Amino acid sequence: MIESSSRKPRVALVFGGRSGEHQISCATAASVMAAIDRSRYEVLAIGITREGEWVRVPARPELFEMVDGRGAEVVAGESSVALWTGAPHLVEKPRSVVGERLEATDLGEVDVIFPLLHGAYGEDGTIQGLMEMSDVRYVGCGVAASAVSMDKHFTKSLLLGAGIAVGRWTLITDRMWNSDRPRALAQAQSVGQDLYVKPSRAGSSLGISHVENPDDLEAAIEYARKFDPRVVVEAAVSGREIECGVLDFGNAEPARASRCGEIAVDTRDGFYDYKTKYQVHDAVTLTTPANLPREVEERIRATAVQVFEVLGAEGLARVDFFYDEEADAVIVNEVNTLPGFTPWSMYPAMWEATGISYPDLVTHLIERALARPLGLR
């Protein structure tokens, strides 16, 4: 067994993964590696390859940063790592060699896992279930809240049932698309003429198209289906794009909302897509705090906390809104339970504007995870 060099809590940063947001996850991990208080925590970095293999990697931020729009990747090594089901231990085993029996090495107990994964197999309740079964504490939402929040259709359905405005949308399932495409297209067109077509379970604006011509709808759905067989078609909402962070402070007090941030995109389409998020930074302006009337910002912040509670979220979440000034309407766009922590990410910037620095935010999330009980909550 590799013994801990001190009595400091061991924090495993898990990142990379099988989703299309692999490189964004690596960039998030690089930022957290640079910010985490190593005088307070022992850090273990675990990367997940695109094929789903877990590997131990150096906890060096410069290895995983995104530079000039080019991201890093986790690659397989000479050994792989696994989380021991039933106990909060990580074990490492060398790659098999024909005719040779190789023993696994116990890497020791892990006090907290900080999943820095975006998209499928990291943000959708799957890895959260593994951590629950392994009796290891972790940062962020549990299985149910993660799974529901990852699926835009489920999120909107649940929030609508709680009386929270979410705009018009419809879901095109894989079965519907393959069995009755004309019906699926008609259902999508019933939402409106100005549409956004999105994978139901993807983030970082992957697979999203803005459709204003009905002739483009089928191709847009096919494009979204490359990322997810479940596709949501939403009516475009006019208004400003406002985001708000929510942070858990434990069961003894309510969750709190950050100051709001605003996204303004200077492109022909005005669409905050993957390219403008991570590659063409000059095309987007992120403002924190957003220039909003006090009453409007307080309404958005209160709604963000309400969304957090309705979804049964824990740890953290970012709630994205549209604010229609003319109608004075606040509409929830989507919820992200593992928001980005890159240098250009809104979540840490909004908390910085609220008075919590990036390193302190990382410490708060870890300490909340350490204080959280195991099992049903």
Side-chain angles (χ1 to χ4, degrees):
M1 177 188 293
I2 297 178
E3 296 290 345
S4 173
S5 60
S6 70
R7 295 179 60 84
K8 295 182 290 189
R10 299 188 83 206
V11 179
L13 307 179
V14 180
F15 60 95
R18 297 164 60 185
S19 81
E21 299 172 77
H22 181 102
Q23 293 183 343
I24 308 306
S25 174
C26 290
T28 281
S31 296
V32 174
M33 285 179 200
I36 192 169
D37 186 351
R38 301 199 189 208
S39 69
R40 186 167 184 165
Y41 307 110
E42 182 182 352
V43 179
L44 185 64
I46 304 295
I48 303 179
T49 69
R50 289 187 181 274
E51 294 71 37
E53 183 176 357
W54 293 35
V55 294
R56 187 154 58 109
V57 297
R60 292 167 49 195
E62 69 273 14
L63 298 178
F64 302 102
E65 293 172 344
M66 183 174 282
V67 180
D68 297 328
R70 296 188 299 273
E73 295 200 11
V74 177
V75 297
E78 297 181 353
S79 60
S80 60
V81 173
L83 184 61
W84 193 264
T85 305
H89 281 245
L90 287 167
V91 294
E92 185 172 35
K93 184 176 180 180
R95 289 187 175 278
S96 298
V97 178
V98 176
E100 185 177 355
R101 183 178 177 182
L102 301 175
E103 298 293 334
T105 300
D106 187 350
L107 298 180
E109 184 173 356
V110 174
D111 296 294
V112 172
I113 290 180
F114 199 150
L116 301 167
L117 297 152
H118 305 306
Y121 306 107
E123 196 175 351
D124 58 358
T126 50
I127 195 171
Q128 287 77 14
L130 174 63
M131 293 184 289
E132 292 283 355
M133 293 179 66
S134 301
D135 282 337
V136 61
R137 292 175 172 85
Y138 57 94
V139 172
C141 292
V143 175
S146 297
V148 169
S149 300
M150 182 69 191
D151 190 302
K152 296 175 178 64
H153 171 69
F154 288 153
T155 301
K156 292 174 185 293
S157 299
L158 196 57
L159 296 182
L160 183 63
I164 298 172
V166 293
R168 301 193 313 277
W169 90 98
T170 192
L171 173 71
I172 307 298
T173 65
D174 187 50
R175 187 190 306 277
M176 180 188 298
W177 189 247
N178 289 315
S179 64
D180 194 346
R181 187 168 299 192
R183 172 176 164 244
L185 289 169
Q187 181 171 306
Q189 290 172 342
S190 71
V191 175
Q193 292 184 331
D194 190 1
L195 303 169
Y196 280 93
V197 179
K198 305 178 180 181
S200 191
R201 297 168 292 187
S204 294
S205 298
L206 291 170
I208 299 181
S209 300
H210 184 194
V211 176
E212 296 176 288
N213 186 333
D215 293 339
D216 298 330
L217 182 57
E218 184 170 4
I221 293 175
E222 286 285 13
Y223 176 53
R225 282 171 50 81
K226 293 180 179 180
F227 298 87
D228 187 357
R230 290 166 60 84
V231 174
V232 292
V233 179
E234 301 174 352
V237 178
S238 63
R240 298 163 61 182
E241 293 189 51
I242 306 294
E243 299 186 350
C244 186
V246 184
L247 197 57
D248 189 354
F249 282 80
N251 291 332
E253 56 181 298
R256 300 180 195 171
S258 71
R259 296 295 304 272
C260 294
E262 181 170 8
I263 300 166
V265 183
D266 183 21
T267 63
R268 182 187 63 79
D269 192 50
F271 175 30
Y272 191 40
D273 60 4
Y274 183 93
K275 186 176 181 179
T276 53
K277 278 185 178 181
Y278 303 113
Q279 296 175 344
V280 188
H281 299 297
D282 292 343
V284 61
T285 301
L286 307 179
T287 304
T288 52
N291 183 19
L292 292 166
R294 180 185 295 273
E295 180 276 327
V296 172
E297 183 175 23
E298 289 307 311
R299 195 184 345 154
I300 291 172
R301 295 175 74 180
T303 303
V305 172
Q306 183 186 4
V307 168
F308 192 84
E309 298 295 346
V310 167
L311 295 175
E314 298 171 274
L316 73 163
R318 192 193 72 229
V319 186
D320 301 344
F321 295 88
F322 293 111
Y323 171 54
D324 186 335
E325 292 179 289
E326 185 174 337
D328 192 30
V330 171
I331 298 171
V332 174
N333 181 24
E334 58 185 67
V335 180
N336 193 316
T337 56
L338 281 174
F341 272 77
T342 66
W344 50 88
S345 293
M346 284 288 275
Y347 188 85
M350 290 186 294
W351 280 109
E352 187 88 41
T354 313
I356 300 179
S357 69
Y358 192 119
D360 288 345
L361 181 61
V362 171
T363 296
H364 177 90
L365 290 168
I366 293 171
E367 290 302 309
R368 283 302 318 137
L370 282 167
R372 197 163 73 182
L374 296 170
L376 294 176
R377 298 181 290 281

